[in-house]
Each structure stands twice: as structure tokens, then as C-alpha cells.
């Protein structure tokens, strides 16, 4: 920054190390109040907000007049001394000696008054600057880190799955189709099939990336583009898969609780919900879930899939996430293995978050027998040719294997206690939103 008055740069998050020093801070004006002879500027630098105290007889008249005229989100640099301020939440303030204006913002559209969600979503590129959105997205970054650390520390190999795919993984009704040099490609619904190849090559792998679903549902749980973390392990059965999912969710929830208490408090999360996320997580069979729903007066038939309402009713029975396993196989994706103990069931599981947040994990054991898999592909009306490479995994050293997918945004909505997933991703893609 060209500024002759400039001192060494400070950032809000580390300002406590520079008490008594003269520093320059760069940022934007978050808020301002004045008591005539003193102006209090809230400077936001992306890592936090610091109060800058501008006293009339401690700066030039031009600087004081500038501060008087500054509007919200103007870009400024403030030079001054870092002081301890026990009254502020940060614990420090800046005694300003000089203020430099880089860009004057006029009539910033997002004011502290209430705005409707549609308005805020249309201004998502600016809304990101608000304290609440900032906190949520910092937690998101921390959650992604915690997810990676969990698997990296257990020697899983990160194996990136492709985004352009030749075939459906999670059913043909939610595929986004795109032109691929005159042919057809689909945006990936899940990296799972590629992780199965990876598990046979590396033993334990995971992918973590964006996935796409052309879901024609406008619910608070559905995005058309969301991030999923998908581990897959060779020589793994459904029980081991549930153990892994349990350990994973408990560890990431506890770590978020520990590392992001200030952010979670700022957004109003009841931390007791996260404190309760401890092993063991309850596990019930689909059949038991049906009984539970009927006991609550819900008219479900055996074989029905659970929607948001059913999931909420079930999760209300537990104080922590619950795993439901062995769903009817006819409801499930082609790759699921049949339960040898009951041909009607699949060796699969879903984890429902507590508090009515719905399914955050889906997974299970995969069909490892070639003939059975070929029958399933045909029964689901899927093109056999597109899966020829996948059949090879059952031809050359096929073994029991299992894995799951955890949706980052739904998990974040639950951890943060947010009503809708649209606030859990920087630029949400919904059925009716592709902008900004
Ligand atoms: O249950 P799903 O469809 O499972 C799979 O895709 C498996 N192939 C994963 C695997 O076994 N490797 O999706 C997994 C998770 C869900 O539990 C949910 O958290 C999230 O992905 N999810 C969505 N999140 C936001 N919006 C949507 N439309 C979502 N669909 C699924
Ligand atoms: Mg699912």
C-alpha cells in the first residue's frame, strides 16, 4: 500500500502480539459511531473486527473529517498504536494516528436492519462479509480440515474422483447431463464407484469434492451442488463401516465444538447438542425404525423410503445421531449388497443427525459378486457397457468392501444449528438459484 505514514502490518487475529507497537491495519469499515470529539471505527480485515479510536485532537482535521464522512464498507487503512481494551470482545483496540481512504463505498445495500432471505441470497457476494456468514464459513473450512485430518491420520490415500462421468451412480433421475464433444457426459453424483477401484488398489482411500444432483426438491436439505467426503475400504463389512462412520462423526463434531466455540456461540448454537455427540451412537434396523414410526402414529408401510418428516420423527427419539441399517433392497442403489440373512434387505446404513437435521451419511457394503452385480445393473435399466470397467473389479481379486459418503453441507447445518443448507456453502446452487 503506498502510504508514507505506514507502519508494519497487523492482522486482527494476531493483534495481541503487537501491544504497544505502532502498526497499520488494512480493511473495510464495518460500522461506526461517534461522540462528537471521538469516532469509533469498526475495522474489518477478514480475520476479525477491531475498534479504531479516532480522537479529534490526535489526528489532522482532514483525517477527522474523512472519518466523519466514511460510509459502511469503504476500504481504509488505519495506522496507530495497539492498546489493551478489556471492554471490547477482542481485548484490544487501535489508537488511530492516521486513516487513509482507498475506496469510498456509497450506500452499501446490506445494512444492519433486517433483510429478506431472497435479497440476501441475491447479494451473497456481499453477504459473505457479515459476521454471521463469516463465522459459518470459517467453521466450514475447519470442518473440511477435520474431515481430511481424520482420514489422513489413519493412512487413507486421498484419491480424487472425476467430475465428468459416463454413467449414473445414484439413479438416473437426478443426473445433470452435459455435452461432451458431441457425446454425453454426466456431472458426478458420487465418487463411490471410483473409490471402489481405489480401495482395491490402495486398501483404504477417500475422495472429497463437489457432487451434483438434479434434485427437483426445494427443501432445506437439498442443494444441486454439494461436497461429499467418501471413504472406501477393502476387506470391510457393514459392521466395520458403521464403526468407521461413528468414529468419524463423533471425532469431527467434538473437534468443531472444541476449536470453534467463539464462532458457534456467535451464531447462537446450543453447544449441549454437540457435547452429547459421543460413542456409542445408537444403531437400529430399518424394521425397528418402522415400528418406532408407527408407535408415533405415522402411517408407513414396510418398504417405504423415509422422507424428511420420517427422519425428523426418528431422530427426535435420540439425543445424538442415530444409524439406521438394513433398508429394503428394492429401494436402494444397484451397487448395494444383499443381506445374506434376509434377501429383502440391503447391507446399507444411513446416519441421521440429531435435532431433525436428517440424513448426513449414507453408505454400506458393496455387491462384490460379478453375476449378482450384472443382474442388478440390468434390473435397474442401466447401460451395461458404461459399467464394464466396474465389472473388472469383480473379475480380478474381488473382496468384500464398504464405504460411505458424508455430505459436508448437511453436516455443517447440523453442527451450526442452521435452518437451511443454503448458508453452509459460499455460493449455493439450488433448483431456483444459479447466481451469484
Ligand atoms: O446417500 P447418498 O446419496 O450416498 C451416496 O452418494 C453414496 N454413493 C455415498 C457412498 O457410499 N460413497 O449421499 C450421501 C450424503 C447424504 O447422506 C447427504 O449428507 C448428502 O450426501 N447429500 C446431499 N447434501 C445436500 N444436498 C443434496 N441434494 C444431497 N444429496 C445427498
Ligand atoms: Mg442417502
Amino acid at each position: 500500500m503506498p502510504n508514507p505514514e505506514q507502519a508494519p502490518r497487523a492482522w486482527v487475529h494476531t493483534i495481541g502480539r503487537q501491544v504497544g507497537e505502532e502498526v497499520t491495519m488494512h480493511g473495510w469499515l464495518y460500522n461506526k459511531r461517534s461522540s462528537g470529539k471521538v469516532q469509533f471505527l469498526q475495522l474489518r480485515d477478514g480475520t476479525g473486527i477491531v475498534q479504531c479510536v479516532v480522537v479529534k485532537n490526535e489526528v489532522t482535521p482532514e483525517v477527522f473529517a474523512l472519518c466523519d464522512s466514511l460510509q459502511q464498507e469503504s476500504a481504509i487503512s488505519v495506522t496507530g498504536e495497539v492498546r489493551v481494551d478489556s471492554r471490547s470482545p477482542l481485548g484490544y483496540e487501535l489508537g488511530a494516528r492516521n486513516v487513509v481512504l482507498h475506496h469510498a463505498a456509497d450506500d452499501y445495500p446490506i445494512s444492519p436492519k433486517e433483510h429478506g432471505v431472497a435479497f440476501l441470497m441475491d447479494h451473497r457476494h456481499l453477504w459473505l462479509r457479515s459476521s454471521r456468514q463469516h463465522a459459518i464459513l470459517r467453521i466450514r473450512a475447519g470442518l473440511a480440515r477435520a474431515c481430511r485430518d481424520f482420514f489422513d491420520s489413519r493412512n487413507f490415500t486421498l484419491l480424487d474422483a472425476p467430475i465428468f462421468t459416463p454413467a449414473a451412480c445414484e439413479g438416473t433421475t437426478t443426473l445433470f447431463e452435459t455435452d461432451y464433444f458431441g457425446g454425453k457426459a454426466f456431472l458426478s453424483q458420487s465418487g463411490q464407484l471410483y473409490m471402489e477401484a481405489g480401495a482395491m488398489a490402495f486398501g483404504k482411500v477417500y475422495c472429497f469434492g463437489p457432487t451434483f444432483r438434479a434434485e427437483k426438491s426445494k427443501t432445506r436439505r437439498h442443494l444441486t451442488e454439494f461436497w461429499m467426503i467418501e471413504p472406501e475400504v477393502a476387506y470391510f463389512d457393514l459392521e466395520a463401516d458403521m464403526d468407521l462412520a461413528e468414529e468419524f462423526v463423533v471425532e469431527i463434531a467434538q473437534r468443531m465444538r472444541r476449536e470453534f466455540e467463539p464462532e458457534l456461540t456467535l451464531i447462537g448454537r446450543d453447544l449441549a447438542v454437540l457435547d452429547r455427540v459421543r460413542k456409542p451412537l445408537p444403531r437400529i434396523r430399518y424394521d425397528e425404525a418402522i415400528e418406532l414410526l408407527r408407535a408415533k402414529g405415522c402411517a408407513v408401510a414396510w418398504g417405504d423410503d423415509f422422507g424428511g418428516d420420517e427422519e425428523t420423527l426418528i431422530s427426535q427419539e435420540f439425543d445424538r445421531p442415530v444409524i439406521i441399517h438394513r433398508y429394503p433392497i428394492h429401494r436402494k442403489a444397484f451397487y448395494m449388497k444383499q443381506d445374506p440373512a434376509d434377501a429383502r434387505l440391503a447391507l446399507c446404513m444411513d446416519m441421521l443427525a440429531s435435532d431433525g437435521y436428517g440424513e448426513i451419511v449414507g453408505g454400506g457394503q458393496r455387491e462384490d459378486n460379478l453375476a449378482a452385480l450384472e443382474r442388478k445393473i440390468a434390473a435397474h435399466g442401466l447401460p451395461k457397457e458404461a459399467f464394464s470397467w466396474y465389472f473388472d473389479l469383480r473379475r480380478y481379486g474381488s473382496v468384500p468392501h464398504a464405504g460411505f459418503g458424508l455430505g459436508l453441507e448437511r453436516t455443517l447445518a447440523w453442527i451450526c444449528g442452521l435452518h437451511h443448507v443454503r448458508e453452509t456453502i459460499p455460493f449455493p446452487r439450488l433448483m431456483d438459484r444459479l447466481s451469484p
Side-chain angles (χ1 to χ4, degrees):
M1 287 285 123
N3 171 14
E5 298 273 0
Q6 191 167 321
R9 183 174 190 180
W11 290 88
V12 175
H13 74 121
T14 47
I15 195 173
R17 298 180 199 156
Q18 283 152 295
V19 175
E21 292 171 29
E22 173 138 312
V23 300
T24 295
M25 303 188 76
H26 305 296
W28 297 264
L29 183 69
Y30 193 66
N31 213 338
K32 181 178 88 167
R33 67 190 169 82
S34 167
S35 71
K37 289 194 166 51
V38 188
Q39 312 223 30
F40 300 93
L41 311 181
Q42 305 292 325
L43 181 76
R44 176 182 74 72
D45 79 347
T47 71
I49 293 172
V50 64
Q51 172 163 280
C52 304
V53 184
V54 189
V55 179
K56 193 165 190 172
N57 56 20
E58 291 177 2
V59 295
T60 64
E62 293 75 28
V63 165
F64 199 77
L66 168 70
C67 294
D68 209 26
S69 69
L70 279 179
Q71 293 207 46
Q72 191 185 350
E73 289 304 319
S74 291
I76 54 172
S77 296
V78 183
T79 299
E81 189 193 337
V82 180
R83 301 190 295 231
V84 170
D85 173 25
S86 51
R87 288 157 305 174
S88 82
L90 183 68
Y92 307 96
E93 63 175 24
L94 200 64
R97 191 173 54 69
N98 192 29
V99 178
V100 174
L101 175 68
H102 304 291
H103 182 254
D106 285 333
D107 299 328
Y108 187 64
I110 304 179
S111 59
K113 72 167 201 280
E114 289 282 302
H115 294 286
V117 172
F119 177 87
L120 290 169
M121 276 293 159
D122 286 343
H123 293 84
R124 183 67 174 165
H125 50 294
L126 301 177
W127 190 22
L128 297 179
R129 303 180 188 190
S130 80
S131 295
R132 187 179 159 81
Q133 298 308 312
H134 186 268
I136 294 167
L137 294 175
R138 289 274 302 166
I139 302 171
R140 177 188 169 100
L143 181 60
R145 189 162 56 239
C147 289
R148 286 194 305 265
D149 285 349
F150 180 90
F151 292 108
D152 291 343
S153 67
R154 285 163 177 78
N155 208 31
F156 281 65
T157 299
L158 170 67
L159 202 71
D160 303 307
I163 303 280
F164 284 132
T165 60
C169 178
E170 294 301 319
T172 47
T173 55
T174 63
L175 274 179
F176 277 115
E177 191 181 308
T178 168
D179 174 69
Y180 199 77
F181 305 110
K184 256 192 219 172
F186 306 103
L187 298 186
S188 177
Q189 298 167 307
S190 160
Q192 179 197 318
L193 307 186
Y194 298 96
M195 291 308 100
E196 291 185 53
M200 300 306 140
F202 298 84
K204 37 185 180 177
V205 293
Y206 74 99
C207 62
F208 191 12
T211 44
F212 306 84
R213 306 269 170 106
E215 308 251 29
K216 294 197 180 62
S217 30
K218 293 185 185 172
T219 80
R220 63 195 190 94
R221 295 171 185 173
H222 287 92
L223 293 162
T224 54
E225 177 178 324
F226 63 97
W227 282 63
M228 188 157 43
I229 187 152
E230 299 180 86
E232 190 76 28
V233 186
Y235 293 98
F236 226 45
D237 63 7
L238 176 63
E239 298 309 310
D241 200 38
M242 290 194 282
D243 291 345
L244 183 69
E246 172 185 75
E247 190 164 309
F248 178 47
V249 169
V250 169
E251 183 169 309
I252 58 176
Q254 290 304 324
R255 182 164 162 189
M256 292 300 102
R257 162 74 178 84
R258 249 190 347 267
E259 292 183 5
F260 290 92
E261 184 165 338
E263 287 85 353
L264 290 165
T265 307
L266 185 146
I267 61 179
R269 184 52 165 145
D270 174 8
L271 296 173
V273 175
L274 299 179
D275 287 331
R276 287 194 294 266
V277 186
R278 301 205 171 273
K279 280 200 221 175
L281 300 182
R283 292 180 195 182
I284 61 171
R285 301 172 68 96
Y286 169 86
D287 289 11
E288 294 171 84
I290 289 283
E291 278 169 36
L292 192 155
L293 286 169
R294 286 188 182 146
K296 293 183 131 219
C298 182
V300 280
W302 194 96
D304 285 355
D305 216 351
F306 299 148
D309 293 343
E310 289 80 19
E311 287 180 356
T312 300
L313 280 172
I314 297 166
S315 69
Q316 278 166 356
E317 284 302 292
F318 304 93
D319 70 345
R320 59 192 79 187
V322 54
I323 297 174
I324 305 175
H325 55 96
R326 296 179 166 82
Y327 285 73
I329 197 160
H330 69 278
R331 286 279 174 205
K332 292 292 176 181
F334 71 88
Y335 52 72
M336 296 206 176
K337 190 165 178 65
Q338 197 173 50
D339 185 352
D342 185 340
R344 300 170 309 152
L345 305 179
L347 292 176
C348 67
M349 56 111 176
D350 279 356
M351 188 190 295
L352 310 185
S354 49
D355 262 15
Y357 278 90
E359 181 199 323
I360 53 172
V361 170
Q365 196 173 328
R366 321 306 187 184
E367 182 51 73
D368 47 61
N369 176 275
L370 180 61
L373 190 63
E374 283 175 334
R375 279 197 302 275
K376 293 285 287 295
I377 295 265
H380 278 78
L382 294 167
K384 207 175 155 189
E385 317 71 53
F387 293 93
S388 58
W389 68 269
Y390 186 66
F391 294 142
D392 271 355
L393 304 175
R394 277 74 181 162
R395 285 193 184 103
Y396 307 109
S398 187
V399 296
H401 59 287
F404 61 82
L406 171 130
L408 187 71
E409 291 77 16
R410 286 202 198 160
T411 306
L412 186 65
W414 164 61
I415 285 174
C416 292
L418 304 176
H419 174 71
H420 199 295
V421 286
R422 65 188 159 214
E423 284 181 54
T424 62
I425 184 162
F427 295 96
R429 295 290 172 252
L430 303 160
M431 203 182 152
D432 53 5
R433 179 166 297 279
L434 188 58
S435 167

